[in-house]
Amino acid sequence: MTDARSHDIGEPKIKETSVTAGQTEASVRLWGRDGEATGIWEVTPGTFKSTRPGFDEVCYILSGEGTITEPDGTSFELRPGTLFVTPSGWEASWTVRETLRKVWFTSQLPA
């Protein structure tokens, strides 16, 4: 792949956990093995809830802007170059102001 920022990741679909009508997402898995995977994901502006049941995720923002707010009120900004980890059990609300695209890596926890 020469450019993850413009790589075709498929047709967008309605974001099921969105609280904003019409918000969409698209994702492509690029590699996976033994409970680990990596890919590219994109979401349009709006607000949605997010959880990490049974897996850890490392995220690197390629483009767009937004804010993640955790249940205790802690928040952080998302912009190109932001790198963060969401551990298993993590919950938060995402507010996307400009279409976000990220590279993700997930690791399933042992059963």
Side-chain angles (χ1 to χ4, degrees):
M1 172 183 316
T2 58
D3 190 349
R5 293 168 298 170
S6 62
H7 185 77
D8 181 9
I9 60 173
E11 287 297 313
K13 61 182 182 181
I14 295 297
K15 176 80 177 137
E16 292 186 18
T17 61
S18 182
V19 296
T20 304
Q23 187 175 29
T24 63
E25 67 180 344
S27 187
V28 63
R29 181 177 155 163
L30 301 172
W31 172 88
R33 174 179 68 206
D34 300 329
E36 297 179 337
T38 191
I40 301 169
W41 172 83
E42 187 172 277
V43 66
T44 58
T47 299
F48 66 93
K49 303 282 185 191
S50 183
T51 62
R52 295 295 176 266
F55 66 95
D56 299 324
E57 181 178 10
V58 177
C59 306
Y60 181 77
I61 303 298
L62 296 169
S63 61
E65 291 186 5
T67 304
I68 290 180
T69 304
E70 297 174 333
D72 68 0
T74 301
S75 66
F76 60 95
E77 293 300 306
L78 303 172
R79 57 182 53 92
T82 302
L83 175 68
F84 60 101
V85 176
T86 58
S88 178
W90 179 85
E91 297 180 15
S93 177
W94 297 53
T95 301
V96 178
R97 294 183 297 279
E98 179 184 310
T99 297
L100 273 174
R101 182 174 276 223
K102 73 177 182 182
V103 171
W104 54 267
F105 171 81
T106 58
S107 180
Q108 298 289 325
L109 295 179

